[in-house]
Amino acid sequence: MADKPIILVTGATGSQGGSVAHFLAKSGKFSVRALTRDAHSKKAAALGPEGAEVVEGNLDDKDSLVKAMKGCYGVFGVTNFWEHFDKEAQQGRNLIDAVKESSIEHFVLSTLPPVNKISGGELSSPHFDIKAEYEDYAKSLKLNTTFTHLAFYFDNFIGFFPLKKGEDGNFHFGFPQGEKTKLGGIAAGDIGGVVTGIFENRDQYLGKTVRIAGDALYPQD
């Protein structure tokens, strides 16, 4: 039996990459190579029992990415604005350049729409706009890419926007969402199921942008 195709997962110790690594390994169709800056961390160690090969690499170092991609069929790429801020732009380009140099057959890249462009310059959201910029860069290189645009993580109501108890005894969250506007969201743990489906059906999704959401709810719901 031939060896299973290897997919390198960046951000494998984070919410999004961790979900992808889990589902890819669970599918039994792929071998998972998990990229992390510290192969000895607790989160990295937890990937081993799931069958992932853990390798060290850094999005700031393109050569380390090329080394990690050796022998890989596919790559799942995600960057983290909230950890690196403006450095995310170069990290995205490093990842894309490494994919090009490695002749990857299927590159699934997590990006977002361009807020500045969509709003005609009235609004700016670096978290979105930086990813949109390097999405355009990947398209210009004509790589074998599928892009994913993820909805809001419902998990953020635990971490970033925790509920707070008000004087009336009720719990509230502060979020700039109108009462009559639904919020599209997804549980971070579900993302990997969709991405695995994309890798399993390369021809169907190559060159496309897949928008991923689990539900759309009004704030009161």
Side-chain angles (χ1 to χ4, degrees):
M1 182 176 177
D3 292 337
K4 290 181 286 189
I6 301 170
I7 296 180
L8 178 72
V9 178
T10 73
T13 57
S15 297
Q16 192 175 155
S19 177
V20 171
H22 169 75
F23 273 91
L24 285 172
K26 187 179 177 182
S27 76
K29 297 179 180 179
F30 303 99
S31 293
V32 178
R33 184 175 292 170
L35 185 78
T36 178
R37 286 172 296 181
D38 182 4
H40 302 291
S41 70
K42 280 188 176 181
K43 288 184 177 180
L47 293 166
E50 291 202 344
E53 173 195 2
V54 181
V55 298
E56 288 190 348
N58 195 314
L59 292 176
D60 291 321
D61 179 1
K62 190 198 76 173
D63 290 342
S64 75
L65 301 177
V66 171
K67 182 179 178 181
M69 290 178 196
K70 188 174 181 180
C72 285
Y73 157 81
V75 171
F76 172 75
V78 60
T79 57
N80 187 352
F81 173 80
W82 303 108
E83 182 178 2
H84 303 287
F85 299 100
D86 288 346
K87 282 178 62 178
E88 183 188 29
Q90 187 58 54
Q91 289 182 340
R93 282 179 170 259
N94 287 344
L95 178 60
I96 291 163
D97 287 340
V99 166
K100 180 175 176 59
E101 191 170 324
S102 303
S103 300
I104 295 299
E105 292 187 46
H106 196 186
F107 180 29
V108 179
L109 181 60
S110 180
T111 55
L112 285 168
V115 170
N116 189 262
K117 183 178 178 180
I118 292 171
S119 66
E122 291 186 16
L123 301 173
S124 177
S125 175
H127 168 49
F128 280 66
D129 294 331
I130 288 174
K131 292 180 177 67
E133 286 174 9
Y134 69 62
E135 175 179 315
D136 287 342
Y137 179 60
K139 288 177 179 176
S140 75
L141 297 179
K142 295 180 170 42
L143 303 176
N144 299 319
T145 309
T146 302
F147 301 98
T148 59
H149 288 182
L150 268 61
F152 178 86
Y153 288 2
F154 284 130
D155 313 58
N156 287 342
F157 287 122
I158 299 172
F160 281 93
F161 311 105
L163 296 172
K164 295 183 179 180
K165 193 172 185 179
E167 293 181 1
D168 59 2
N170 293 319
F171 286 87
H172 306 265
F173 64 87
F175 198 75
Q177 189 82 7
E179 289 185 8
K180 297 182 179 180
T181 303
K182 288 185 176 181
L183 174 66
I186 188 169
D190 290 341
I191 296 165
V194 180
V195 173
T196 296
I198 292 171
F199 276 116
E200 290 174 340
N201 298 277
R202 175 184 182 271
D203 292 345
Q204 181 179 347
Y205 292 106
L206 206 61
K208 295 183 178 179
T209 298
V210 180
R211 296 169 178 84
I212 304 174
D215 210 339
L217 301 170
Y218 291 111
Q220 60 266 33
D221 295 332

